[in-house]
């Protein structure tokens, strides 16, 4: 009997160790191999424990805690596992908040570990004490403060499960210093479920049938897909649906690269600076199929006029997104890979050629009014678009673009060509300037075999420029392109169009960016003439190691098409 019991109930392996060492053991059990962070007094015991595992865990020392979070985001977005961040208490912990907020709204899995003052000091305003649990509650999927070392294994197991399951997001674990020092009996078991937490909702079979019926009877169907396709690993199913039903498919900026850019049914980007055709046709389609996207205001414009003529089908993993902004006629809950696989057998083959031809005609109008001038300019100044064109020419679309926030971001999303998924890394919902440089570091660490190119404006670049030090120390071969127009370009564009060209506090007096890069021993070049651009881009891509390229672009260039904030999506400005 005893022998039978011992067979059926596995014996946990228990070791005697410190809380700090237990933290490292938890990370190893979860398959972590990289940590981004910055040490300090309250997390020093954990860093001391990490010292003994340097052959198993690599620590990337960023130059700022915010840089650590963005690097972790870049790492997580190109991988299939949560990224890990270490920071100390007080200012170290509060410096994580922007990255946490960015990861929360963009559904990026991340586990942040902060040190905290000893539990007997909590609430006493001790040196570098902040209530990071309360501060981070609105910008985390879950957080928890550990005051007893015995809690470490269970809390970490829950943290990784919550961060990566369902709709992903960041979690934060705050550990008091005495819990790090305490001796415990440690064993670890991965978390597979949590009572009352259901990461993937049950799919109603009737919703699948109803959605299929609407799609099969549609005359002018249109798909808008977002990052939920990438997070759900549903790229193959999306492509099969599009091709079987012959449906034009547009994307949000976080959905970009889920479908190859050159696919004949890929009709471009929706939203404020999206392509002309999909924005116009949003208010012409009879069935709008939203897949893994949340109807952000930059996509919908005026909700009172958004797709009112269409039946709306919403494929979504997060029930909170259903009917939040746009009322769904059919809501299909579940992971997009599963729900698309379920609906595929019910979909009838179609082509909708006449409907697709309407997109082609609208594309021609946008090409003549905007794209031709962006990619093949006849004026003297370099455009941002032709820089992306040259990058495409060299890489063939087999690269990762990490863009910051501003005009260059919209240009990168509009003109970068992608052949593989998980290739467009940017700050979507929060719009965090300073995101790209550290995020590119994380992306390159995550997939060192792929070319990672950071596209950054001169404003956002200077928000996290110190992370050049991280590149110098790690030798990661990140390619950095700063599109320098000596302005905070997106704000300046709005000032030009809506504030009578009153350029209040948007003109930048910039330093010598090439000299700064060389100060970090990074090869660097500046280009201001069109005749030198192609050669400079190829030199950057071919260089074995990190490289900085500054391109001086036209000072007052604007990004079109454009939908004014809060306007109807069909009221698109081409100039």
């Amino acid at each position: 009997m005893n022998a039978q019991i011992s067979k059926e109930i596995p014996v946990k392996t228990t070791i005697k160790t410190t809380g700090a060492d237990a933290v490292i053991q938890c990370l190893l059990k979860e398959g972590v191999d990289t940590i981004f962070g910055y040490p300090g007094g309250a997390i020093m015991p954990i860093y001391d424990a990490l010292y003994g595992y340097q052959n198993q865990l690599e620590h990337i020392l960023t130059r700022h805690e915010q840089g650590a979070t963005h690097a972790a985001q870049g790492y997580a977005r190109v991988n299939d596992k949560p990224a890990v961040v270490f920071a100390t208490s007080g200012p170290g912990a509060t410096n994580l908040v922007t990255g946490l907020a960015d990861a929360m709204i963009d559904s990026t899995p991340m586990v942040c570990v902060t040190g905290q003052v000893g539990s007997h000091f909590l609430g006493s305003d001790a040196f570098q004490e902040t209530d990071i649990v309360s501060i981070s509650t609105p910008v985390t999927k879950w957080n928890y403060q550990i005051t007893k070392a015995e809690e470490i294994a269970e809390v970490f197991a829950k943290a990784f499960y919550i961060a990566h399951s369902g709709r992903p997001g960041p979690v934060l674990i705050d550990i008091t210093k005495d819990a790090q020092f305490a001796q415990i009996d440690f064993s670890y078991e991965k978390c597979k479920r949590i009572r009352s937490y259901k990461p993937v909702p049950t799919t109603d079979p009737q919703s699948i049938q109803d959605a299929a019926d609407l799609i099969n009877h549609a005359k002018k169907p249109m798909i808008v897909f977002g990052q939920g396709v990438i997070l759900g690993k549903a790229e193959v199913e999306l492509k099969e649906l599009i091709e079987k039903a012959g449906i034009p498919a547009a994307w949000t900026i976080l959905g970009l690269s889920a479908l190859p850019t050159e696919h004949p049914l890929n009709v471009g980007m929706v939203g404020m600076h999206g392509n002309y055709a999909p924005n116009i046709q949003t208010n012409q389609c009879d069935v709008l199929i939203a897949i893994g996207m949340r109807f952000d205001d930059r996509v919908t414009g005026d909700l009172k006029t958004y797709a009112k003529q269409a039946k709306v089908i919403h494929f979504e993993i997060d029930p909170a997104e259903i009917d939040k902004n746009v009322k769904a006629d059919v809501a299909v809950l579940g992971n997009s890979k599963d729900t698309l696989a379920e609906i595929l057998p019910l979909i009838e083959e179609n082509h909708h050629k006449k409907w697709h031809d309407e997109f082609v005609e609208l594309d021609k109008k946008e090409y003549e009014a905007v794209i031709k001038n962006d990619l093949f300019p006849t004026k003297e100044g370099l455009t941002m678009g032709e820089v992306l064109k040259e990058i495409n020419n060299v890489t063939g679309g087999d690269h990762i673009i990490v863009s910051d926030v501003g005009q260059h971001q919209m240009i990168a999303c509009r003109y970068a060509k992608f052949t593989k998924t998980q290739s467009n890394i940017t700050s979507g919902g929060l719009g965090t300037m300073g995101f790209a440089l550290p995020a590119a570091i994380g992306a390159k660490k995550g997939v060192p075999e792929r070319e990672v190119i950071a596209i950054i404006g001169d404003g956002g670049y200077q928000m996290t420029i110190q992370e050049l030090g991280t590149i110098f120390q790690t030798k990661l071969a990140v390619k950095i392109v700063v599109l320098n127009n000596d302005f905070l370009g997106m704000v300046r564009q709005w000032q030009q169009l809506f504030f009578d060209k009153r350029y209040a506090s948007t003109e930048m007096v910039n330093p010598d960016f090439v000299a700064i890069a060389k100060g970090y021993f990074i090869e660097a070049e500046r280009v201001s003439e069109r005749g030198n651009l192609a050669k400079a881009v190829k030199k950057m891509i071919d260089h074995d190691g990190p490289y900085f390229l500054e391109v001086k672009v036209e000072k007052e260039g604007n990004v079109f098409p454009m939908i004014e904030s809060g306007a109807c999506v069909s009221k698109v400005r081409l100039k």
Side-chain angles (χ1 to χ4, degrees):
M1 183 67 177
N2 289 338
Q4 186 180 0
I5 291 174
S6 64
K7 270 189 176 182
E8 293 177 353
I9 303 175
V11 178
K12 288 185 181 179
T13 302
T14 302
I15 60 171
K16 192 79 172 178
T17 190
T18 64
D21 188 76
V23 170
I24 307 303
Q25 292 288 340
C26 291
L27 300 183
L28 292 172
K29 295 287 187 182
E30 291 290 345
V32 174
D33 54 23
T34 304
I35 300 164
F36 302 91
Y38 204 98
I43 199 171
M44 204 174 296
I46 292 176
Y47 269 91
D48 184 66
L50 178 62
Y51 186 82
Y53 294 89
Q54 294 179 69
N55 62 333
Q56 295 171 269
L57 283 166
E58 182 175 1
H59 181 272
I60 305 294
L61 176 63
T62 58
R63 296 309 187 256
H64 192 282
E65 292 88 353
Q66 181 180 341
T69 59
H70 295 328
Q73 288 177 271
Y75 182 89
R77 294 268 287 275
V78 299
N79 274 300
D80 299 321
K81 56 185 179 182
V84 176
V85 175
F86 281 179
T88 194
S89 64
T94 57
N95 282 342
L96 303 180
V97 172
T98 297
L100 287 167
D102 197 291
M104 184 67 177
I105 199 165
D106 282 354
S107 304
T108 305
M110 186 162 66
V111 176
C112 292
V113 181
T114 53
Q116 184 56 275
V117 300
S119 56
H120 57 291
F121 284 121
L122 291 174
S124 70
D125 293 329
F127 178 67
Q128 291 193 333
E129 181 201 357
T130 57
D131 184 0
I132 191 60
V133 170
S134 295
I135 291 170
S136 65
T137 294
V139 293
T140 51
K141 190 176 176 185
W142 183 67
N143 63 16
Y144 190 87
Q145 184 177 77
I146 294 175
T147 58
K148 296 183 183 301
E150 291 79 8
E151 299 177 292
I152 288 173
E154 182 181 359
V155 170
F156 269 78
K158 283 183 178 180
F160 276 90
Y161 177 65
I162 291 170
H164 201 224
S165 60
R167 181 179 181 175
V171 301
L172 182 138
I173 305 170
D174 191 44
I175 312 179
T176 60
K177 202 167 185 179
D178 51 318
Q180 298 173 49
F181 277 123
Q183 290 282 328
I184 57 167
D185 293 317
F186 172 79
S187 65
Y188 194 80
E189 185 177 341
K190 285 191 177 185
C191 181
K192 297 179 180 177
R193 64 179 297 274
I194 299 172
R195 189 176 63 181
S196 78
Y197 170 59
K198 191 173 184 180
V200 181
T202 301
T203 304
D204 179 3
Q206 188 60 49
S207 70
I208 297 286
Q209 185 63 60
D210 292 345
D213 289 343
L214 282 176
I215 293 170
N216 289 334
H217 288 93
K219 302 299 182 185
K220 295 182 175 184
M222 176 176 160
I223 287 173
V224 179
F225 62 90
Q227 189 182 209
V229 171
I230 297 172
L231 294 172
K233 301 295 175 190
E235 294 92 342
V236 171
E237 290 77 10
L238 172 69
K239 185 169 177 284
E240 288 180 359
L241 173 63
I242 289 167
E243 291 175 348
K244 186 175 184 181
I247 303 176
W251 35 268
T252 68
I253 63 170
L254 293 184
L256 174 57
S257 84
L259 184 70
T261 313
E262 297 299 304
H263 191 285
L265 289 170
N266 186 333
V267 294
M269 178 170 72
V270 291
M272 181 172 283
H273 290 287
N275 292 103
Y276 188 63
N279 276 322
I280 292 291
Q281 300 296 67
T282 296
N283 280 359
Q284 297 298 319
C285 66
D286 58 359
V287 176
L288 181 64
I289 306 146
I291 306 174
M293 55 86 75
R294 58 188 181 85
F295 291 110
D296 175 74
D297 64 290
R298 286 293 176 101
V299 166
T300 65
D302 182 10
L303 285 170
K304 294 177 182 177
T305 60
Y306 182 79
K308 290 302 180 183
Q309 79 295 335
K311 295 290 186 181
V312 176
I313 303 169
H314 196 174
F315 288 81
E316 177 59 47
I317 197 170
D318 185 357
E321 293 296 342
I322 301 297
D323 297 339
K324 187 176 79 173
N325 295 322
V326 173
K327 176 72 175 174
D329 294 278
V330 178
V332 183
L333 291 172
N335 183 295
S336 56
K337 185 176 184 67
D338 299 329
T339 53
L340 291 180
E342 285 186 51
I343 202 172
L344 271 167
L346 304 178
I347 297 298
E348 298 170 2
E349 291 192 15
N350 210 324
H351 52 78
H352 296 291
K353 186 178 184 305
K354 185 178 178 182
W355 170 234
H356 187 71
D357 287 345
E358 292 184 28
F359 285 83
V360 174
E361 289 304 310
L362 292 169
D363 286 341
K364 291 177 183 177
K365 187 173 182 180
E366 181 183 352
Y367 181 84
E368 290 299 321
V370 178
I371 297 173
K372 183 169 67 174
N373 298 324
D374 281 348
L375 300 186
F376 305 98
T378 55
K379 52 190 173 183
E380 186 174 334
L382 283 169
T383 67
M384 295 184 184
E386 60 186 316
V387 179
L388 269 297
K389 180 188 69 175
E390 294 300 339
I391 291 172
N392 292 331
N393 289 341
V394 176
T395 65
D398 185 19
H399 56 251
I400 292 173
I401 295 288
V402 185
S403 57
D404 213 79
V405 172
Q407 287 182 314
H408 63 279
Q409 177 191 35
M410 295 296 100
I411 290 291
C413 289
R414 283 177 53 78
Y415 295 123
K417 304 296 184 185
F418 296 115
T419 59
K420 296 179 181 178
T421 188
Q422 292 179 289
S423 295
N424 177 58
I425 312 299
T426 194
S427 172
L430 195 65
T432 304
M433 292 178 68
F435 172 88
L437 185 60
I441 293 170
K444 187 63 178 178
K445 182 61 185 173
V447 283
E449 70 279 5
R450 295 191 66 190
E451 197 71 69
V452 175
I453 305 166
I455 306 293
I456 318 177
D458 48 308
Y461 182 57
Q462 293 178 84
M463 287 193 170
T464 51
I465 195 170
Q466 71 278 355
E467 299 307 333
L468 290 175
T470 307
I471 293 174
F472 169 52
Q473 184 166 346
T474 61
K475 309 302 181 190
L476 287 166
V478 175
K479 308 300 168 64
I480 307 158
V481 180
V482 167
L483 303 179
N484 183 6
N485 57 12
D486 295 310
F487 264 114
L488 297 176
M490 186 62 83
V491 182
R492 185 214 54 76
Q493 177 169 336
W494 282 52
Q495 289 173 332
Q496 176 185 336
L497 298 176
F498 310 119
F499 293 90
D500 298 323
K501 293 189 177 182
R502 294 193 297 274
Y503 295 157
S505 303
T506 47
E507 188 165 10
M508 304 282 287
V509 179
N510 286 317
D512 186 335
F513 290 129
V514 169
I516 291 171
K518 288 184 175 180
Y520 283 99
F521 303 95
I522 296 171
E523 289 293 319
E525 184 179 0
R526 179 183 298 111
V527 173
S528 57
E529 301 292 332
R530 182 165 291 119
N532 299 325
L533 179 62
K535 182 180 177 181
V537 169
K538 188 173 189 311
K539 181 181 177 183
M540 173 187 72
I541 299 299
D542 290 344
H543 181 73
D544 184 17
Y547 197 94
F548 174 85
L549 178 63
E550 177 187 4
V551 183
K552 295 285 289 185
V553 297
E554 54 184 342
K555 284 196 70 170
E556 296 187 48
N558 290 329
V559 183
F560 289 105
M562 181 179 182
I563 300 168
E564 296 180 18
S565 181
C568 174
V569 291
S570 57
K571 293 184 178 179
V572 185
R573 294 181 58 161
L574 292 175
K575 61 182 181 178

